[in-house]
Amino acid sequence: SRGFAKILRWECDSPLAREMADLKDADDFLNFCLERADEFSRRDWIASLTLLTTRRRFTTALPRFQQYNRRLLQEVEGHFDGAVHLLLHRYGVIIHA
């Protein structure tokens, strides 16, 4: 249940993260991430995982979320060498939420 979760206070510190923050629906959000994935930095991927938990109609069963996961996994070696723990933490939050 999300009833006991703390309010997310994520500071969007990149132009792409600020654009993502304005997208409230999960499908719109995931479409944006997939369309702009080539432009994402590590910080943008982390922002997307963090913000995803507060999007309307989000569920891990969404086909778009599965596509998003596959795309993110393509970036692990380049963006997350030595920082896989950041991804694991964000996925843990998604599962918990």
Side-chain angles (χ1 to χ4, degrees), residues 9-69:
R9 297 188 200 290
W10 178 261
E11 185 175 323
C12 296
D13 57 359
S14 77
L16 287 172
R18 283 188 283 278
E19 284 185 61
M20 280 185 260
D22 291 336
L23 300 169
K24 303 302 180 199
D25 185 74
D27 277 331
D28 294 338
F29 184 87
L30 290 166
N31 283 332
F32 174 87
C33 292
L34 290 167
E35 289 170 6
R36 305 287 296 272
D38 290 337
E39 302 171 50
F40 275 25
S41 67
R42 174 170 54 185
R43 190 74 177 158
D44 294 320
W45 283 113
I46 295 295
S48 71
L49 284 167
T50 303
L51 294 169
L52 192 52
T53 59
T54 61
R55 302 303 98 174
R56 280 187 302 239
R57 292 185 286 277
F58 172 69
T59 173
T60 56
L62 288 172
R64 281 277 187 235
F65 182 63
Q66 304 309 317
Q67 292 174 325
Y68 168 91
N69 286 326

Side-chain angles (χ1 to χ4, degrees), residues 57-93:
R57 292 185 286 277
F58 172 69
T59 173
T60 56
L62 288 172
R64 281 277 187 235
F65 182 63
Q66 304 309 317
Q67 292 174 325
Y68 168 91
N69 286 326
R70 286 191 295 274
R71 184 62 175 89
L72 175 54
L73 288 175
Q74 293 174 3
E75 302 297 325
V76 169
E77 190 173 323
H79 287 303
F80 292 95
D81 282 342
V84 174
H85 65 284
L86 297 173
L87 290 179
L88 294 174
H89 177 261
R90 292 322 189 279
Y91 275 106
V93 170

